[in-house]
């Protein structure tokens, strides 16, 4: 276990600047997610921590030691790849023993004990002698995880490890990752483009946009208080609606509808952040904003409506007690205290 | 039409060509090798196997082919790895460079080596000037000359066979190796080499068979004293006009190659399961 410190890390591939000076402090034992769209530089940053990519300028420290110029094998890290990168010519047990063998950790018997323990952790003890290609995607993924944790690295790097799994397996693995992290307390850096994954797994989320840190904070903070339009957009479930704050402090939408926003704001053009679960829906005629139903998505316990509000697409999440269909006009109401306002 | 007949139809031209151009002459060769004045005889074989000179020729052929194969693999593997990992433009140039020897006539290429390796040629001169070799040092008409000339021609077969396999190896496996504590060379040894073994085997088979049956290069660079089997067959056909004996030698060559190759393929095939 060790902390990781990045100091003004910049990276350019030829003329393309990928990372514009990232500084980040990751505490020992912390689980940090790097969240962002593809191409935002999050994977590059992870590869820089691993040593697979050299920095253009800046400094990387692991456990207080400057490792900027160190080869990957000399940093005490382990990495789990999106494609798992299991060695096809070795059995499952040999794959998991590989980092121990290469780093010369323990005697052969000790190594085999560790392999057995790691296989038990991911519940694959019965598949030790199989070759990777005889396993399903989910099993391969567990083997990759076992291989990543077996050598007790100082830092565990996870590069979108769950993105190739179907939804059910992904949820199982999320739980497993949380439990393993709780037990081993490894400093973990987790790269993902899936906001739900980031929210459910991490102690801290670092949101990336175009090679810069857009915002960072605990999942609860970053979800409740996205600081910028990009952040609220990326954290998916929020709707952004253009509006103008009038002199009386209420907001006017593009089609002239008005709503109270409960905050003192200087007049001017703004974006209202309306979280999908904060909006309640009622039949036409009730007080509130008028909107038209476009689509209804049945989700089992709940229901998602896609609505047309003042010419913009708005999603809401609601119970199943009343149903509306395509073309219905409905009334929307929102607690003014839960509306966030981002200047434009 | 069933799939089976369709497949057979597709394979027919190839099979026909093989039958006409390969199996027929081989059959004829087999018949000719046991041909004697009073019906079938094994006299040609016993003459070959009873004569120390011819056994020496056979041994030299197999030994040189093995040396050439090993050297080609030793040079070809790193070359193929570099070709697989550089950019596409550099790879194209490397491939052109590697197959260039195949684009020139075998005679021209071999005479090129004759010029370079002869007593007053560039390479012996250089070695003598640098004090690395004595005054009487010569390369022409030695087995070294044969090996140099043959490696030059056969390297592309090895390098391209291995290149095909290495370029299909996911580079992330190597990166994973590095993150698991392998140095670069350990990654090559524990990951790239085992995974590219099929290419090494295929290349070795090609190089070994081609060098065992080659005739022009060993003949010109090794001279008449250092005969290989193919050259000896040629002599029997054109100079002593003893065709049945030539056929017997060809059968021995054929059998010798099979004897080396079959265990080799068996041995390596089991590793790649």
């Amino acid at each position: 276990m060790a902390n990781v410190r990045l100091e003004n890390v910049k990276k350019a591939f030829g003329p393309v600047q990928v990372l514009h000076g990232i500084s980040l402090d990751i505490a020992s034992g912390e689980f940090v997610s790097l969240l962002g769209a593809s191409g935002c530089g999050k994977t590059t940053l992870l590869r820089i921590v691993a040593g697979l990519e050299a920095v253009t300028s800046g400094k990387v420290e692991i456990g207080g030691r400057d490792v900027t110029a160190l080869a990957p094998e000399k940093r005490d890290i382990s990495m789990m790849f999106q494609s798992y990168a299991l060695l096809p010519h070795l059995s499952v047990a040999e794959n998991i023993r590989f980092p121990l063998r290469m780093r010369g950790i323990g005697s052969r018997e000790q190594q085999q004990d560790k392999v057995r323990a790691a296989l038990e952790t991911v519940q694959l003890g019965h598949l030790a002698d199989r070759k990777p290609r005889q396993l399903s995607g989910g099993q391969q993924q567990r083997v990759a995880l076992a291989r990543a944790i077996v050598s007790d690295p100082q830092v565990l790097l996870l590069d979108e490890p769950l993105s190739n799994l179907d939804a059910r397996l992904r949820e199982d693995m999320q739980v497993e990752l949380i439990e393993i992290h709780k037990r081993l307390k490894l400093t973990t850096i987790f790269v993902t483009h899936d906001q739900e994954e980031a929210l459910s797994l991490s102690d801290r989320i670092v949101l990336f946009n175009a090679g810069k840190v857009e915002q960072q904070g605990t999942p609860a903070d970053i979800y409740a208080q996205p600081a910028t339009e990009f952040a609220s957009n990326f954290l998916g479930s929020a709707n952004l609606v253009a509006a103008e704050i009038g002199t009386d402090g209420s907001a006017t939408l593009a089609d002239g509808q008005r709503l109270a926003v409960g905050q003192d704001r200087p007049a001017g053009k703004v974006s209202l952040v309306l979280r999908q679960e904060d909006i309640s829906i009622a039949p036409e005629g009730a007080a509130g904003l008028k909107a038209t139903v476009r689509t209804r998505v049945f989700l089992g316990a709940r229901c998602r409506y896609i609505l047309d509000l003042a010419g913009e697409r708005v999603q809401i999440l609601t119970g199943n007690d009343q149903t509306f269909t395509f073309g219905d006009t409905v009334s929307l109401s929102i607690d003014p205290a839960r509306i966030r306002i981002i200047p434009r | 039409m069933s799939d089976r007949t369709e497949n057979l139809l597709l394979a027919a031209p190839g099979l026909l060509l093989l039958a006409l151009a390969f199996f027929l002459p081989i059959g004829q060769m087999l018949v000719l090798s046991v041909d004697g004045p009073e019906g079938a005889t094994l006299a040609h074989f016993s003459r070959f196997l009873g004569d120390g000179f011819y056994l020496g020729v056979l041994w030299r052929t197999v030994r040189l082919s093995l040396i050439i194969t090993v050297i080609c693999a030793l040079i070809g593997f790193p070359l193929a790895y570099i070709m697989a990992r550089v950019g596409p433009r550099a790879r194209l140039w490397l491939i052109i460079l590697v197959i260039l020897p195949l684009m020139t006539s075998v005679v021209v290429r071999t005479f090129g080596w004759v010029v370079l390796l002869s007593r007053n040629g560039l390479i012996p001169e250089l070695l003598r000037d640098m004090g690395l070799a004595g005054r009487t040092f010569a390369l022409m008409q030695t087995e070294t000359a044969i090996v140099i000339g043959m490696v030059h021609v056969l390297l592309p077969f090895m390098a391209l066979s291995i290149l095909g396999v290495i370029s299909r190896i996911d580079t992330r496996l190597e990166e994973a190796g590095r993150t698991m504590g392998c140095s670069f060379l350990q990654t090559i040894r524990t990951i790239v080499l085992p995974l590219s073994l099929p290419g090494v085997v295929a290349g070795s088979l090609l190089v070994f068979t081609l060098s065992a049956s080659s005739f022009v290069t060993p003949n010109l660079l090794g001279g008449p004293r250092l005969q290989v089997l193919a050259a000896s067959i040629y002599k029997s056909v054109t100079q002593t006009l003893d065709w049945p004996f030539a056929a017997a030698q060809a059968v021995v060559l054929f059998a010798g190659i099979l004897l080396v190759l079959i265990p080799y393929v068996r041995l390596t095939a089991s590793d790649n399961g």
Side-chain angles (χ1 to χ4, degrees):
Chain A
M1 259 185 305
N3 64 321
V4 176
R5 229 168 72 80
L6 301 176
E7 205 178 290
N8 202 19
V9 168
K10 291 185 182 169
K11 175 72 186 175
F13 291 109
V16 187
Q17 189 82 22
V18 181
L19 294 174
H20 302 266
I22 305 282
S23 295
L24 211 55
D25 264 308
I26 298 169
S28 188
E30 196 179 12
F31 194 121
V32 172
S33 291
L34 308 183
L35 176 64
S38 57
C40 70
K42 58 193 193 305
T43 297
T44 307
L45 190 67
L46 193 77
R47 291 169 57 83
I48 283 174
V49 176
L52 296 171
E53 215 75 73
V55 299
T56 307
S57 71
K59 198 167 143 191
V60 182
E61 276 180 19
I62 296 177
R65 186 167 63 128
D66 184 353
V67 297
T68 315
L70 224 53
E73 68 269 19
K74 304 225 170 78
R75 308 177 178 196
D76 191 5
I77 48 121
S78 74
M79 181 159 170
M80 186 172 163
F81 290 73
Q82 186 174 7
S83 60
Y84 314 145
L86 298 177
L87 304 176
H89 57 300
L90 299 179
S91 70
V92 166
E94 281 301 310
N95 257 290
I96 298 174
R97 196 166 75 93
F98 195 83
L100 300 175
R101 190 153 64 96
M102 287 300 140
R103 294 189 191 280
I105 300 172
S107 68
R108 204 186 159 88
E109 285 71 37
Q110 287 168 324
Q111 289 178 0
Q112 268 153 358
D113 288 343
K114 281 195 170 196
V115 169
R116 248 192 305 278
L119 270 172
E120 288 311 317
T121 308
V122 294
Q123 298 150 33
L124 283 181
H126 56 295
L127 297 177
D129 296 324
R130 297 268 185 96
K131 285 278 171 71
R133 74 183 130 76
Q134 296 168 305
L135 305 181
S136 70
Q139 290 168 333
Q140 289 187 14
Q141 210 251 349
R142 282 154 192 269
V143 174
L145 181 62
R147 188 177 69 174
I149 59 175
V150 73
S151 60
D152 287 321
Q154 287 192 315
V155 183
L156 177 61
L157 307 172
L158 306 170
D159 184 10
E160 308 218 13
L162 308 182
S163 62
N164 290 343
L165 298 178
D166 56 57
R168 250 216 71 138
L169 268 176
R170 191 152 57 212
E171 280 168 26
D172 288 353
M173 276 311 291
Q174 284 178 8
V175 173
E176 211 151 291
L177 270 179
I178 293 172
E179 283 174 354
I180 285 176
H181 180 249
K182 230 187 272 171
R183 190 143 39 89
L184 303 178
K185 299 246 180 306
L186 290 172
T187 309
T188 307
I189 306 180
F190 178 83
V191 162
T192 181
H193 63 265
D194 183 322
Q195 47 123 350
E196 272 177 39
E197 231 165 69
L199 290 170
S200 56
L201 289 172
S202 20
D203 297 326
R204 178 151 58 110
I205 293 178
V206 180
L207 183 63
F208 270 73
N209 180 24
K212 292 192 191 93
V213 175
E214 185 83 18
Q215 190 181 356
Q216 52 175 310
T218 64
D221 280 351
I222 207 166
Y223 186 73
Q225 289 166 349
T228 61
E229 199 161 316
F230 176 85
S232 45
N233 246 334
F234 199 85
L235 292 164
S237 29
N239 301 290
L240 284 172
V241 179
E244 195 165 351
I245 303 282
T247 43
D248 59 348
S250 72
T252 311
L253 303 187
D255 64 350
Q257 298 196 77
R258 300 173 63 130
L259 80 162
V261 291
Q263 292 173 43
D264 259 350
R265 276 278 173 174
K269 285 187 189 309
V270 295
S271 288
L272 303 180
V273 181
L274 313 175
R275 206 171 300 290
Q276 58 174 357
E277 62 272 25
D278 292 342
I279 306 175
S280 49
I281 186 167
E284 186 179 11
L289 298 167
K290 270 194 186 46
T292 323
V293 175
R294 284 237 203 103
T295 313
R296 171 172 171 266
V297 184
F298 181 67
L299 298 172
R302 292 193 286 181
C303 205
R304 172 171 289 140
Y305 287 98
I306 315 291
L307 305 161
D308 187 355
L309 171 65
E312 294 191 70
R313 214 180 100 106
V314 170
Q315 281 191 25
I316 71 163
L317 205 57
T318 177
N320 269 323
D321 41 346
Q322 45 190 352
T323 50
F324 304 93
T325 51
F326 174 77
D328 283 359
T329 306
V330 293
S331 272
L332 305 178
S333 54
I334 309 138
D335 178 0
R338 301 195 66 95
I339 299 176
R340 277 183 61 77
I341 300 171
I342 297 171
R344 275 206 295 179
Chain B
M1 218 175 346
S2 74
D3 277 0
R4 221 184 137 81
T5 38
E6 242 175 66
N7 287 345
L8 212 62
L9 267 179
L10 282 174
L15 288 177
L16 209 65
L17 187 72
L18 264 182
L20 282 178
F22 187 67
F23 290 115
L24 205 65
I26 285 204
Q28 254 183 337
M29 183 185 82
L30 281 172
V31 170
L32 199 59
S33 70
V34 292
D35 188 32
E38 300 106 28
T41 168
L42 288 174
H44 308 301
F45 288 101
S46 53
R47 179 175 154 211
F48 183 93
L49 297 172
D51 190 331
F53 173 76
Y54 287 113
L55 285 178
V57 168
L58 176 63
W59 170 232
R60 179 181 301 122
T61 306
V62 171
R63 184 166 43 89
L64 286 182
S65 302
L66 284 175
I67 293 172
I68 290 162
T69 307
V70 169
I71 294 179
C72 276
L74 289 179
I75 303 176
F77 178 78
L79 186 63
Y81 180 78
I82 291 165
M83 285 202 283
R85 294 293 176 251
V86 294
R89 180 180 291 266
R91 172 160 52 244
L92 185 67
W93 281 112
L94 278 173
I95 289 177
I96 290 176
L97 216 64
V98 167
I99 61 176
L100 213 52
L102 293 179
M103 297 181 185
T104 51
S105 137
V106 65
V107 178
V108 173
R109 188 178 55 229
T110 309
F111 274 112
W113 279 114
V114 170
V115 171
L116 285 175
L117 297 176
S118 63
R119 188 166 292 274
N120 297 315
L122 188 65
I123 293 170
E125 283 269 272
L126 213 64
L127 289 176
R128 276 195 293 267
D129 288 350
M130 285 159 67
L132 295 173
R135 295 183 57 81
T136 55
F137 177 73
L139 271 174
M140 268 308 289
Q141 313 216 333
T142 62
E143 291 186 348
T144 315
I146 299 179
V147 170
I148 291 174
M150 291 301 294
V151 166
H152 181 215
V153 208
L154 296 179
L155 186 62
F157 293 96
M158 182 67 85
L160 295 181
S161 301
I162 301 177
L163 173 64
V165 179
I166 290 190
S167 51
R168 282 201 306 272
I169 298 177
D170 189 348
T171 51
R172 275 166 301 192
L173 292 182
E174 291 166 55
E175 289 180 346
R178 296 300 294 274
T179 64
M180 289 188 284
C182 290
S183 66
F184 173 72
L185 286 179
Q186 279 175 319
T187 309
I188 298 288
R189 191 169 57 79
T190 54
I191 297 174
V192 181
L193 190 59
L195 289 177
S196 58
L197 217 53
V200 178
V201 171
S204 302
L205 295 185
L206 275 174
V207 169
F208 184 81
T209 44
L210 286 174
S211 65
S213 57
S214 71
F215 141 72
V216 176
T217 306
N219 216 25
L220 289 178
L221 293 176
R225 280 192 313 111
L226 294 175
Q227 258 185 29
V228 292
L229 203 47
S232 163
I233 296 170
Y234 179 76
K235 215 172 90 185
S236 299
V237 171
T238 58
Q239 288 169 24
T240 57
L241 298 181
D242 191 350
W243 283 36
F245 185 56
Q249 292 180 69
V251 171
V252 168
L253 179 61
F254 186 68
I257 292 177
L258 277 186
L259 275 180
V260 175
L261 292 190
I262 287 173
Y264 184 64
V265 174
R266 282 266 173 90
L267 208 72
T268 44
S270 58
D271 289 350
N272 298 310

